[in-house]
Amino acid sequence: MAVREVSAVRLDEKKSKFYAHLYEIDSADEVAEIKERHDKLYKKAAHHCYAVVCGNFSDSRADGEVGSPGRALAEVMSRHNLGSHVLIVSRIFGGVKLGPAGVARAFREAGDGAVLEYEKSRPKL
């Protein structure tokens, strides 16, 4: 099993930092490894929200964050027709509450940024 990061971006929103990473995976079992990696990489992050699609398996997690950011990330993956990928966003709280809608929007924008960065670097068929 080899987790392959294919893109990463940072979004700043009202002093909070959102670190979005897109990974290619071979198995849904790799999600735990990615989550563990983000726990270590972003120790100050209170939430690591993600969406995963691999074969017939799909899942999303909000990790206790308001605004259903896991669902927002799953929508990003669906809109871009991503399979065999994990989109994870780690948020470091900046002291300003965004509210549920603001949180969902920020996670969606960060996730979109990571996917668009990936699509720019992918060879065109």
Side-chain angles (χ1 to χ4, degrees), residues 76-87:
V76 169
M77 291 184 68
S78 176
R79 192 171 56 250
H80 291 278
N81 297 315
L82 291 176
S84 300
H85 287 84
V86 175
L87 179 58

Side-chain angles (χ1 to χ4, degrees), residues 58-74:
S58 65
D59 191 18
S60 63
R61 299 294 163 126
D63 196 29
E65 182 67 278
V66 300
S68 303
R71 188 175 332 144
L73 296 174

Side-chain angles (χ1 to χ4, degrees), residues 87-122:
L87 179 58
I88 185 167
V89 179
S90 300
R91 177 188 184 190
I92 298 177
F93 183 62
V96 178
K97 292 186 178 182
L98 303 176
V103 166
R105 182 183 43 70
F107 273 88
R108 187 177 299 107
E109 286 180 15
D112 258 331
V115 173
L116 292 172
E117 193 66 28
Y118 168 61
E119 289 177 343
K120 279 195 274 183
S121 67
R122 263 195 329 195

Side-chain angles (χ1 to χ4, degrees), residues 1-114:
M1 278 193 312
V3 173
R4 296 168 308 283
E5 182 179 293
V6 293
S7 70
V9 298
R10 174 179 149 177
L11 171 73
D12 294 343
E13 182 70 29
K14 295 186 179 176
K15 298 184 182 178
S16 285
K17 294 171 182 59
F18 296 83
Y19 297 92
H21 296 255
L22 182 65
Y23 295 89
E24 286 182 341
I25 59 172
D26 296 321
S27 163
D29 297 335
E30 294 173 287
V31 175
E33 180 183 339
I34 292 167
K35 175 82 167 65
E36 186 177 310
R37 180 184 289 188
H38 279 255
D39 287 339
K40 291 177 184 172
L41 188 59
Y42 301 110
K43 291 179 183 174
K44 292 184 179 182
H47 305 284
H48 305 281
C49 306
Y50 67 86
V52 58
V53 175
C54 190
N56 292 329
F57 177 80
S58 65
D59 191 18
S60 63
R61 299 294 163 126
D63 196 29
E65 182 67 278
V66 300
S68 303
R71 188 175 332 144
L73 296 174
E75 291 168 2
V76 169
M77 291 184 68
S78 176
R79 192 171 56 250
H80 291 278
N81 297 315
L82 291 176
S84 300
H85 287 84
V86 175
L87 179 58
I88 185 167
V89 179
S90 300
R91 177 188 184 190
I92 298 177
F93 183 62
V96 178
K97 292 186 178 182
L98 303 176
V103 166
R105 182 183 43 70
F107 273 88
R108 187 177 299 107
E109 286 180 15
D112 258 331

